[in-house]
């Protein structure tokens, strides 16, 4: 068995695509609007094939009676440059919820609130950072 995707219901598609692309580092592989106005965007690791190479995030907006993203789930991302990602989150006024913490000496994790209130974990695998 292999994990393929998670659906995240968002209130502002532009803001969410921008967040996952510009801060987290994913790319929008495909985006479309259905006849009923529901919009979907598939966010993947750059160069990955959705559902074949690596897991993806499927962003969905405009759905009637749409669930919210604030239900306590945490989406974790390993980022190439943790300091740069933290700076972008600060500049975007995304609130820090927790961190830094290191469940293992090889990684450092920070948790933030994303654009729809979802919990976003960002981490590196190089060891603890100092003075972030």
């Amino acid at each position: 068995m292999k994990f393929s995707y998670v659906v995240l219901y968002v209130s502002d598609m532009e803001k969410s695509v921008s967040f996952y692309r510009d801060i987290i580092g994913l790319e929008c592989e495909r985006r479309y609007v259905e006849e009923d106005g529901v919009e979907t965007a598939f966010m993947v690791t750059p160069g990955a094939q959705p559902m074949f190479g690596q897991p993806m995030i499927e962003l969905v907006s405009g759905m009637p009676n749409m669930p919210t993203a604030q239900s306590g789930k945490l989406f974790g991302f390993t980022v190439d440059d943790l300091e740069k990602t933290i700076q972008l989150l600060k500049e975007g006024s995304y609130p820090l919820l927790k961190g830094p913490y290191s469940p293992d000496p090889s990684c450092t994790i920070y948790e933030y609130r994303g654009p729809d209130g979802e919990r976003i974990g960002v981490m590196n695998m190089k060891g603890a950072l100092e003075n972030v």
Side-chain angles (χ1 to χ4, degrees):
M1 178 169 52
K2 185 174 182 179
F3 179 75
S4 297
Y5 68 96
V6 64
V7 175
L8 182 58
Y9 299 99
V10 301
S11 60
D12 184 329
M13 183 62 79
E14 292 304 322
K15 186 174 182 179
S16 293
V17 166
S18 184
F19 176 84
Y20 288 100
R21 181 190 60 224
D22 301 338
I23 295 176
I24 300 300
L26 300 177
E27 66 183 27
C28 186
E29 187 273 333
R30 186 172 7 129
R31 185 172 173 177
Y32 61 90
V33 179
E34 297 176 27
E35 289 180 17
D36 61 1
V38 174
E39 185 173 7
T40 302
F42 297 98
M43 306 301 294
V44 300
T45 301
Q49 297 254 336
M51 297 175 58
F52 294 103
Q54 294 188 18
M56 69 176 176
I57 296 177
E58 181 179 342
L59 303 174
V60 176
S61 70
M63 194 168 116
N65 302 314
M66 194 168 64
T68 67
Q70 298 182 30
S71 59
K73 294 168 187 66
L74 173 69
F75 300 94
F77 298 92
T78 300
V79 296
D80 293 330
D81 187 337
L82 186 56
E83 290 177 353
K84 178 181 176 185
T85 302
I86 290 167
Q87 185 60 39
L88 291 169
L89 287 160
K90 286 179 182 177
E91 290 171 5
S93 298
Y94 294 101
L96 176 66
L97 300 175
K98 184 178 179 182
Y101 64 94
S102 297
D104 177 286
S106 67
C107 74
T108 301
I109 302 172
Y110 292 79
E111 294 179 19
Y112 287 85
R113 258 311 155 215
D116 270 279
E118 68 273 30
R119 292 176 60 204
I120 302 294
V122 292
M123 68 180 221
N124 71 354
M125 296 302 292
K126 300 173 187 168
L129 291 177
E130 295 179 26
N131 302 321
V132 175

